[in-house]
Amino acid sequence: MSKEWPLWEVFVRAKNGLSHRHVGSVHAADDRMAIEAARDTYTRRMEGVSLWVVRSADIVASDPGEGAALFEPAADKVYRHPTFYSIPEHVKNI
Amino acid sequence: MTDGLTEYALRLGDDSLILGQRLGEWCGHAPMLEVDLSLTNVALDLVGQATLFLGIAGDADKLAFHRDVLDFKNCLLVEQPNGDFAQTIARQFLFSNWQELLFRELTQSRNATLAAIAGKAVKEVAYHARLANEWMVRLGDGTAESRARIVNGLDWMWRFGDELFDVDDVVEPLIASGVAVDVRKLRGEWDQRIARTLSEATLEMPKPRRAAKGGRIGHHSEHLGHLLSEMQFLQRAYPGATW
């Protein structure tokens, strides 16, 4: 077994109504320690109101080798982009 | 001779200041980056509390940097050396569990300033206690080495616990007037908290030791002078230096 503590990915909700965003990672031996390390590392300047941590090893990532098949077909379908609407100026966070 | 409230504010402020300085010594030396940040975050909370409490007693910076050992009124526990990480955690465990109970009661003080400081600080300290309690369990119920270290660390710190619950002539009138907390009444709850976490950590309660006391009247262990020589160096060498 590695002597290094496992890596955890950290997600912070900046304020209620927004979604959690990935901000970085921490090393921790267990889930409580991961939350505390995340709190001390990523929310000490009032960055958030809620934290998620998840073991990095539990994240399933897409294969970069399949990038062409997965993502390029979307490139020429401009009609899927919501760019034809005008958004009122006072609406934030869209 | 200072008045009672000033003396009480010095005791509260010095506890936080000296422990904050001790934890700050870990900066750049902790076993992991994450632990480094967590210890120094606690240190910063404590130094912030010290600034507020010492502000009641006078000029906080002057009090921190221009007093000599005999004038410091912190309990002996907080000035004890960091030792290894386990010894640091043992000290934090005994202290933060006490300080959380203390501040919880201090929010009810008739002195509005003390009550307001306690109201802000009690949330910080609740986190310190949680952090220390969890580390006690991890170290106690961890590997053979972590267990041996936390047993040693707790053994070092144990004799300084009783002083936290002493009341003397300075504080007695302040308790009567509703300004100060009667720490004697916190002992039972503190004992329960300590016992609960030790049991979860599969650790035995250390045997009763002859209590070491004297910090509240300026009778300190040899360690405080060394701590002050480092903490006060800049202001002693370059009086009035700012940045």
Side-chain angles (χ1 to χ4, degrees):
Chain A
M1 198 183 111
S2 162
K3 292 191 85 169
E4 282 269 296
W5 289 335
L7 198 62
W8 302 69
E9 299 302 321
V10 180
F11 300 80
V12 175
R13 184 202 289 280
K15 57 182 182 182
N16 287 330
L18 298 187
S19 20
H20 288 72
R21 293 188 72 146
H22 184 240
V23 292
S25 54
V26 293
H27 290 94
D30 54 54
D31 51 6
R32 295 281 286 188
M33 197 199 292
I35 285 283
E36 281 154 18
R39 180 260 194 194
D40 289 336
T41 308
Y42 293 110
T43 67
R44 57 205 295 268
R45 299 183 186 86
M46 296 176 46
E47 290 93 336
V49 296
S50 168
L51 276 170
W52 286 350
V53 292
V54 58
R55 274 178 189 267
S56 309
D58 288 342
I59 290 184
V60 180
S62 59
D63 179 355
E66 291 179 331
L70 288 173
F71 307 118
E72 281 178 22
D76 61 355
K77 298 178 176 65
V78 66
Y79 49 87
R80 289 181 183 164
H81 293 239
T83 50
F84 307 107
Y85 305 92
S86 54
I87 295 171
E89 267 180 34
H90 62 273
V91 175
K92 302 276 192 282
N93 301 319
I94 284 191
Chain B
M1 186 64 194
T2 51
D3 69 273
L5 178 63
T6 300
E7 188 68 16
Y8 190 55
L10 284 177
R11 294 178 181 189
L12 293 168
D14 287 347
D15 280 353
S16 293
L17 177 66
I18 299 303
L19 187 55
Q21 174 68 17
R22 271 284 180 243
L23 290 173
E25 291 170 12
W26 275 107
C27 188
H29 299 278
M32 303 275 290
L33 176 66
E34 288 80 355
V35 173
D36 207 290
L37 276 169
S38 96
L39 291 177
T40 44
N41 269 344
V42 175
L44 284 174
D45 287 344
L46 290 166
V47 172
Q49 295 164 12
T51 309
L52 297 171
F53 284 128
L54 294 181
I56 297 177
D59 178 327
D61 280 344
K62 278 212 174 75
L63 288 167
F65 296 125
H66 294 284
R67 274 181 300 159
D68 211 343
V69 176
L70 289 171
D71 298 321
F72 274 82
K73 301 298 167 59
N74 56 279
C75 59
L76 297 179
L77 176 64
V78 294
E79 71 197 40
Q80 295 311 305
N82 285 339
D84 58 14
F85 179 66
Q87 186 170 313
T88 293
I89 290 299
R91 183 183 60 206
Q92 202 68 40
F93 169 59
L94 301 182
F95 184 78
S96 293
N97 278 293
W98 173 77
Q99 203 184 32
E100 187 187 351
L101 299 177
L102 173 71
F103 286 172
R104 189 189 68 197
E105 298 304 315
L106 195 61
T107 58
Q108 307 302 312
S109 171
R110 291 236 181 105
N111 180 297
T113 310
L114 284 177
I117 299 172
K120 169 190 179 290
V122 72
K123 286 172 258 174
E124 298 168 346
V125 175
Y127 182 75
H128 305 168
R130 164 182 157 159
L131 203 68
N133 290 344
E134 288 179 10
W135 272 113
M136 287 299 295
V137 176
R138 280 191 205 104
L139 295 170
D141 195 17
T143 64
E145 181 180 358
S146 72
R147 186 182 177 84
R149 284 175 184 261
I150 195 62
V151 167
N152 280 339
L154 195 60
D155 194 50
W156 175 293
M157 298 299 169
W158 194 247
R159 69 201 129 128
F160 303 105
D162 287 338
E163 187 185 28
L164 302 174
F165 301 96
D166 274 359
V167 170
D168 63 8
D169 300 348
V170 174
V171 182
E172 200 80 71
L174 294 173
I175 294 174
S177 59
V179 169
V181 175
D182 188 347
V183 282
R184 290 167 298 202
K185 293 184 179 159
L186 306 178
R187 183 73 199 237
E189 195 176 349
W190 184 80
D191 282 341
Q192 280 175 13
R193 278 174 167 239
I194 297 301
R196 195 187 319 135
T197 298
L198 288 182
S199 143
E200 210 184 322
T202 70
L203 293 167
E204 282 177 32
M205 192 79 87
K207 292 192 180 60
R209 302 275 298 274
R210 198 162 71 94
K213 299 180 179 183
R216 301 300 186 202
I217 52 169
H219 295 177
H220 292 283
S221 60
E222 65 184 276
H223 309 293
L224 184 60
H226 294 280
L227 178 149
L228 293 183
S229 69
E230 190 170 311
M231 183 177 86
Q232 297 182 334
F233 168 78
L234 199 87
Q235 284 300 326
R236 297 285 196 186
Y238 306 96
T242 56
W243 61 354

